[in-house]
Amino acid sequence: MTSVDRWQLPDGIEEVLPAQAATVEALRRRLLDLFRSWGYELVIPPLVEFTDSLLTGLGQDLDLLTFKLTDQLSGRSMGVRADITPQVARIDAHSLAPDGVSRLCYAGSTLHTRPKSLMASRSPIQLGAELYGDDSVAADVEIIRLMLATLDAAELPARYTLDLGHVGIYEAVLDAAELDDEQEARIFDCLQRKSVPDLMQALDDVPEDIATLIIGLVDLHGDDNVLLAARELFADRAPRALAAVDALQDVATDLRHQRPDLPIYFDLAELRGYHYHTGIVFAAYVPGHGQALANGGRYNGVGEVYGRSRPATGFATDLKALMNLLPASASGQGAISMPDSDDLELLAKAEALRASGEIVINSLGAGRDPRCDRELVEIEGEWQTRPL
């Protein structure tokens, strides 16, 4: 190993240096305070858990993202969390076990074995909110509104678009198609990639009317006209999908009542998180940023393994991704240089300034810190601040 190799970080793993760290911490504090004002209580799950608990109910995708190790005390398999959502579901179902609605929020580091997308970090700082115990459209709308309020509070320079989908639509189409497991897996992969040629090839041995129904999903993305087209497509062949289409319309109507200018984009072939989401799914995008800036959806029943099957909906974002979209911060508030002295009046003055929010830096042998734009000097027996 060369000396250069010793300080290199793994691909997708980043350190956060002072200026960026200040931005991340300010965002974290501002957003957690926002969640608190909406009634969401902060929880801090552990960095590692037994995989029996950590990976239950959220599908193979999370399993592949999770670094695993052996606990030296128990010999059991443990995982470094790749997603905090299942941990919060465990806290709701087992540690707290409330009877009614509970609202929980969190912020913490996660670790992925591989990036979720080409430019994604493998060490995101995940922040999110979860609502348990209510299966209504009103709960979905509350979580989406909180996600939008989160992006507003982050003061992003770009306008964002809300994407809405519903896994119930694909489920209804599958039920109508009566495919075997192998066919379903091939078709699912093609729909995820939205590759029509591959999808048509995968549907070679499927009846024409069913193939038309599945291929039709690919084109069901865009404005409100998508919902009209969906009702026509599903009315006879997959009537169970109509309830999901109605739910999407209800959510969009409620959101537009508060935000009439919000761009809403429907994507009825959105299959992100299909293996654990159970209803509405949503995501926010900004121009020029390929991956979702924040996303979430309904995931009822995840707490069942912990003894309580609860309705659940929530969203998450990555503080690092938010930070990267913000303009470069200014030099900061500046700082005050103080002499390296044990003068009690000087020390008392410095502590008073620090208590008021100022940064006061002791000048050691190397001289003043470059951040200092003021200094403490003794004038007529009194310590005062003056510009440098």
Side-chain angles (χ1 to χ4, degrees):
M1 179 182 291
T2 67
S3 59
V4 173
D5 293 331
R6 293 182 186 278
W7 54 259
Q8 287 184 334
L9 294 173
D11 289 344
I13 306 294
E14 314 87 12
E15 56 197 358
V16 184
L17 299 178
Q20 295 173 312
T23 299
V24 168
E25 177 57 21
L27 271 175
R28 187 193 69 85
R29 186 66 270 157
R30 188 189 317 156
L31 298 179
L32 288 179
D33 286 345
L34 170 70
F35 294 168
R36 180 178 178 275
S37 74
W38 282 56
Y40 287 74
E41 298 178 288
L42 178 65
V43 293
I44 306 177
L47 181 63
V48 296
E49 289 196 35
F50 293 125
T51 52
D52 292 345
S53 168
L54 192 63
L55 302 179
T56 299
L58 292 186
Q60 185 182 16
D61 292 345
L62 186 59
D63 188 16
L64 294 175
L65 281 175
T66 301
F67 277 98
K68 302 177 182 69
L69 61 154
T70 300
D71 179 19
Q72 296 299 308
L73 295 181
S74 67
R76 294 174 60 185
S77 174
M78 298 175 68
V80 180
R81 66 188 181 196
D83 187 339
I84 300 178
T85 303
Q87 296 183 292
V88 182
R90 175 186 56 74
I91 288 172
D92 170 75
H94 177 70
S95 302
L96 295 177
D99 292 328
V101 172
S102 68
R103 293 173 170 87
L104 302 175
C105 64
Y106 58 86
S109 294
T110 57
L111 183 64
H112 297 167
T113 56
R114 64 194 71 184
K116 285 187 173 182
S117 62
L118 185 62
M119 301 302 293
S121 169
R122 287 204 292 155
S123 57
I125 303 174
Q126 186 179 334
L127 175 140
E130 315 293 331
L131 191 157
Y132 300 97
D134 192 298
D135 198 21
S136 67
V137 168
D140 291 320
V141 170
E142 176 179 321
I143 279 290
I144 296 173
R145 282 179 172 160
L146 181 56
M147 182 184 76
L148 300 178
T150 297
L151 300 181
D152 290 343
E155 300 178 351
L156 302 177
R159 190 183 189 197
Y160 52 82
T161 298
L162 176 67
D163 279 26
L164 290 178
H166 198 301
V167 299
I169 291 172
Y170 181 61
E171 289 176 345
V173 170
L174 281 184
D175 287 347
E178 297 181 346
L179 305 172
D180 61 37
D181 291 344
E182 184 178 347
Q183 288 174 316
E184 181 183 336
R186 290 202 311 270
I187 291 167
F188 180 83
D189 176 65
C190 297
L191 281 173
Q192 275 193 310
R193 294 184 284 111
K194 291 184 170 55
S195 173
V196 174
D198 290 344
L199 183 59
M200 294 178 69
Q201 184 176 355
L203 292 168
D204 273 347
D205 53 353
V206 174
E208 184 176 352
D209 60 331
I210 297 301
T212 301
L213 182 65
I214 294 174
I215 292 172
L217 278 174
V218 178
D219 294 326
L220 291 178
H221 56 87
D223 59 18
D224 290 58
N225 290 323
V226 166
L227 302 186
L228 295 174
R231 289 190 175 98
E232 293 180 7
L233 179 65
F234 300 139
D236 296 326
R237 298 189 184 100
R240 280 188 53 216
L242 298 181
V245 175
D246 290 341
L248 287 173
Q249 184 67 72
D250 290 343
V251 167
T253 300
D254 282 355
L255 292 172
R256 285 173 174 148
H257 180 70
Q258 182 185 13
R259 293 171 173 261
D261 297 328
L262 174 67
I264 296 180
Y265 184 92
F266 298 96
D267 187 350
L268 305 195
E270 173 55 64
L271 299 177
R272 172 181 38 82
Y274 169 72
H275 295 295
Y276 65 90
H277 278 137
T278 61
I280 293 280
V281 291
F282 48 86
Y285 291 88
V286 295
H289 192 73
Q291 61 184 355
L293 195 57
N295 59 67
R298 180 159 288 282
Y299 58 103
N300 294 348
V302 170
E304 183 176 3
V305 70
Y306 309 114
R308 302 184 77 223
S309 180
R310 301 257 284 166
T313 183
F315 81 93
T317 186
D318 175 13
L319 288 175
K320 287 184 182 178
L322 293 181
M323 173 198 69
N324 289 333
L325 287 176
L326 295 175
S329 60
S331 57
Q333 70 180 80
I336 301 169
S337 176
M338 64 174 283
D340 182 23
S341 170
D342 60 359
D343 184 294
L344 293 180
E345 291 185 4
L346 171 62
L347 296 176
K349 179 69 174 180
E351 288 307 308
L353 288 168
R354 288 167 177 150
S356 70
E358 294 282 4
I359 299 172
V360 182
I361 303 175
N362 194 26
S363 293
L364 300 174
R368 284 193 294 263
D369 188 287
R371 290 170 289 172
C372 294
D373 55 7
R374 290 155 291 162
E375 65 176 346
L376 275 171
V377 295
E378 189 174 18
I379 302 175
E380 297 181 355
E382 182 179 349
W383 289 99
Q384 298 181 28
T385 303
R386 73 177 182 189
L388 286 171

